[in-house]
Amino acid sequence: MVGVAMDCGLACPPRLRSCPRDALSSSPIRLPSSRRRPCLPSSSFIKIRRSFPSLASDSGVASGVRCEAAGISTVRRESYELANVNWDSLGFGLVPTDYMYVSRCAGDGIFNQGKLEPFGNIELSPSAGVLNYGQGLFEGLKAYRKHDGSILLFRPEENAQRMIDGAERLCMPAPPADQFVEAVKETVLANKRWVPPAGKGSLYIRPLLLGSGPILGLAPAPEYVFLIYVSPVGNYFKEGLAPINLIVASDYHRATPGGTGNVKTIGNYASVLKAQAAAKNKGYSDVLYLDSVNNKYLEEVSSCNIFVVKGNKISTPATKGTILPGITRKSIIDVARVQGFEVEERLVAVEELLDADEVFCTGTAVVVSPVGSITYLGQRVQYKNNGVGEVSQQLYSALTSLQMGLTEDKLGWTLNLD
């Protein structure tokens, strides 16, 4: 194996002009403040406190990383080695990596060029808009390693546009799509040793848009941070591609008309935690929510969209304000139509679950997850003898083959980084 040698885009304090990972983990680097003197002129910094237990051994860390102040466009990728991780045991949990991307926006609505910083904690004012009024969005996408060692991104421009749409709903500025995509690329390449080997998982990419500026009265924050961090992951559900078991919520709803169910705001996810925890305590994998008006039409699972299969017809709830327009959802609809299925986006009554041939979920984290059973008002419906249905398997294979570069991408959905 060979070591890493690259300009990482970090603005290092003078004592860290040559900075191995151990030095970075203990160096206090803070966001700019009138009371602090930045180590380099006109630079934005994040306060780092290395407080996460790493799942990787430092024995797999490259011995020489040169740090020089630079924008993200100056990062050079040379030789590297894979991180020392047990790739066969990856779950869907945080594995701290090397770098994160940070860009800031003041009152002009324009985000600065941004830079790569060591991964670590960030410092916020107690009166930050995101902490007091929930003014925050996040995205999720993945990078995959091909068998030739190159890395693929899957439809990052779709995530960029969804963040722009969500930011408009929450009265936030958003980075333009080209900056979003470029920042994702640079963050992945700076952490490329954490991209799992082909077939061993993926690198999950989490862009965040936060109201970081202090605000006391209810109003949009005066400043914003756009941040991206990454983590290698395996399957979201412990079952993997094996079927999951859902329960339909009867006392809780995920979203209401006129609310924010159709944007990826942080508040949408806190509200499902109680129902999800109760379901998992009873042995279910997750919760399926119904609409809040009639309490009879399917909406989505806590973190993924849902599809119902009957014969050659695949139905999924239409995205009309209360349902997140999932990028995997959109991709599966297109793939299914190419393969000859009839796909309907419409109101899907909960009773249709009782007569379905198959049910499956889609999302960035889960990709395609077959449903083995759904319990509704005490009645349990089982699909395919709790096995993986043919349609679920077919669509999963078709989509993941595209994402991993195993089949030719005739749709132009993938972006090759190497």
Side-chain angles (χ1 to χ4, degrees), residues 48 69 80 104 112 147 155 157 161 191 238 241 244 280 301 306 324 336 342 388-389 411:
I48 304 301
Y80 71 97
R104 294 176 61 82
N112 62 22
H147 286 285
R155 310 191 78 175
E157 72 287 345
Q161 186 59 52
N191 292 286
K238 61 180 176 52
L241 187 59
I244 61 174
K280 289 187 176 182
V301 181
I306 193 157
L324 187 73
E342 179 184 352
V388 179
L411 299 169

Side-chain angles (χ1 to χ4, degrees), residues 231-258:
S231 176
V233 297
N235 293 316
Y236 181 81
F237 291 117
K238 61 180 176 52
E239 295 90 343
L241 187 59
I244 61 174
N245 299 297
L246 304 177
I247 184 170
V248 178
S250 56
D251 300 325
Y252 297 96
H253 295 284
R254 176 188 167 274
T256 59

Side-chain angles (χ1 to χ4, degrees), residues 235-319:
N235 293 316
Y236 181 81
F237 291 117
K238 61 180 176 52
E239 295 90 343
L241 187 59
I244 61 174
N245 299 297
L246 304 177
I247 184 170
V248 178
S250 56
D251 300 325
Y252 297 96
H253 295 284
R254 176 188 167 274
T256 59
T260 58
N262 63 330
V263 298
K264 209 166 176 64
T265 176
I266 57 178
N268 289 350
Y269 296 85
S271 64
V272 305
L273 294 177
K274 186 172 183 179
Q276 186 187 61
K280 289 187 176 182
N281 285 338
K282 296 177 181 178
Y284 298 102
S285 307
D286 214 327
V287 178
L288 172 59
Y289 296 90
L290 301 179
D291 76 289
S292 61
V293 176
N294 302 289
N295 206 38
K296 65 174 290 186
Y297 296 109
L298 306 184
E299 293 230 314
E300 60 182 89
V301 181
S302 300
S303 58
C304 44
N305 299 112
I306 193 157
F307 289 76
V308 178
V309 181
K310 183 65 178 179
N312 195 55
K313 183 178 294 184
I314 302 175
S315 304
T316 189
T319 56

